[in-house]
Amino acid sequence: MTDLTDRDLAGANLERVNLREAHLTRVRFTDARMRSVDFSGADIRGSLFAGTRVRGAELVDVTIDGELRNVVINGVDVGPLIEAELDRREPERTLLRASTPEEFGRAWTTLERLWQGTIERARTFDAEILHRSVNEEWSFIQTLRHLNFANAAWVDRMILGELSPWHPLDLPWDEAPGWDGIPWDRQARPTLDEVLAVRDRRTASVRRVIEDLTPEQLEATVTRTEPGWPQAEDFPVRTCLWIVLVEQWEHRRYAERDLDILANEEG
């Protein structure tokens, strides 16, 4: 088995190469050119396809979960079509596009209500099942840990200025580069109540920010250049809150999907 760990292959020419069942992690294909490449059965996660062109392709039995902007398929920008269909299926999803303090308030209240129902449903499962991964995705417990991390990053750190708001159970996304001083224990197995205790504090922090939000604050920007993450200059407060809303919405959707699968397995 060839090991190409930490190798610089810039400009490499791979021709008639078999990468079947290969594992590629943190690999950059920026400006790469691929011809006659077979991706059948490939599993690609945490990837950026900005400016990518796929031509003469056959997309059959393909599943794509992600952010779609200016995605043109056979001459049709499919992004708005997909957004409209998702809104039709779940009308409350339109709240994610909040633009005023009042709209952010309604969005957050709705998300807390929806998540309460999901958590109550999760309590009906055996505790061990809540640590079970579905299709190599996060378990239910890990999902809550990640959302705790997201709330801390975008509200406690970025908006409130707490430079190191982390809890030992916080969980960054899998493809994150890693930072000194930020916990990242994917293998931890806390109880649901332990994670919810952290969640209660974090959601209360978000709620206070949104309840006190003024139009002027919503138009403001924040700068955080201190060690840690996120680091950004003149970053809109509005975008910080949008990120939190979307994270809560999408991960709840994934959690409900996986609970459905786990329920059928336990059947």
Side-chain angles (χ1 to χ4, degrees):
M1 174 180 173
T2 302
D3 186 349
L4 298 177
T5 302
D6 294 328
R7 295 283 295 277
D8 184 356
L9 297 178
N13 179 33
L14 277 65
E15 187 173 346
R16 292 187 294 278
V17 174
N18 183 0
L19 292 178
R20 183 176 181 178
E21 298 182 3
H23 292 252
L24 282 68
T25 303
R26 296 190 177 92
V27 177
R28 296 186 62 183
F29 287 102
T30 306
D31 297 329
R33 298 293 180 269
M34 302 181 187
R35 303 291 185 270
S36 301
V37 177
D38 186 350
F39 284 102
S40 299
D43 185 347
I44 302 172
R45 305 185 186 203
S47 302
L48 177 65
F49 286 94
T52 302
R53 292 179 176 83
V54 181
R55 301 174 180 173
E58 297 182 23
L59 271 67
V60 180
D61 297 329
V62 175
T63 299
I64 300 175
D65 283 310
E67 181 181 357
L68 304 180
R69 290 183 293 165
N70 299 323
V71 178
V72 179
I73 299 178
N74 293 339
V76 178
D77 184 355
V78 301
L81 303 178
I82 293 172
E83 286 293 302
E85 174 60 17
L86 292 174
D87 289 348
R88 186 193 67 78
R89 295 181 181 184
E90 298 180 280
E92 288 172 318
R93 184 176 180 272
T94 61
L95 295 171
L96 301 181
R97 296 189 282 276
S99 60
T100 67
E102 294 75 20
E103 289 174 350
F104 274 101
R106 287 196 292 272
W108 186 250
T109 298
T110 298
L111 282 165
E112 286 201 278
R113 172 177 57 78
L114 292 173
W115 261 109
Q116 186 58 40
T118 299
I119 290 169
E120 289 174 1
R121 181 188 181 194
R123 287 192 181 279
T124 67
F125 287 76
D126 183 83
E128 188 63 26
I129 292 177
L130 299 182
H131 289 288
R132 187 181 301 175
S133 171
V134 175
N135 294 326
E136 301 182 11
E137 300 284 356
W138 282 327
S139 68
F140 188 83
I141 296 291
Q142 289 170 329
T143 295
L144 292 178
R145 292 175 57 201
H146 174 69
L147 291 174
N148 289 342
F149 168 80
N151 285 356
W154 294 106
V155 172
D156 294 336
R157 177 177 162 94
M158 287 297 289
I159 296 179
L160 297 178
E162 186 178 347
L163 301 184
S164 185
W166 317 114
H167 185 279
L169 293 177
D170 289 344
L171 184 64
W173 68 101
D174 281 349
E175 295 80 18
W179 312 269
D180 291 338
I182 298 182
W184 192 352
D185 184 0
R186 202 182 196 279
Q187 304 308 315
R189 295 176 68 84
T191 66
L192 177 59
D193 285 333
E194 287 173 330
V195 175
L196 289 178
V198 181
R199 177 178 173 82
D200 287 346
R201 295 195 297 273
R202 294 282 169 72
T203 56
S205 181
V206 177
R207 190 184 314 116
R208 284 193 300 271
V209 167
I210 291 178
E211 287 176 347
D212 295 338
L213 196 61
T214 66
E216 293 74 21
Q217 290 172 329
L218 195 53
E219 296 302 322
T221 63
V222 289
T223 295
R224 297 285 173 260
T225 57
E226 300 85 356
W229 189 88
Q231 289 183 334
E233 294 185 13
D234 297 324
F235 198 85
V237 169
R238 181 190 306 274
T239 302
C240 292
L241 295 175
W242 273 337
I243 291 171
V244 170
L245 295 184
V246 171
E247 285 279 307
Q248 294 285 339
W249 178 274
E250 294 295 343
H251 282 291
R252 178 185 167 275
R253 183 168 64 88
Y254 299 147
E256 286 283 356
R257 174 201 64 192
D258 292 349
L259 289 176
D260 288 342
I261 294 172
L262 292 170
N264 289 333
E265 289 178 351
E266 293 301 302

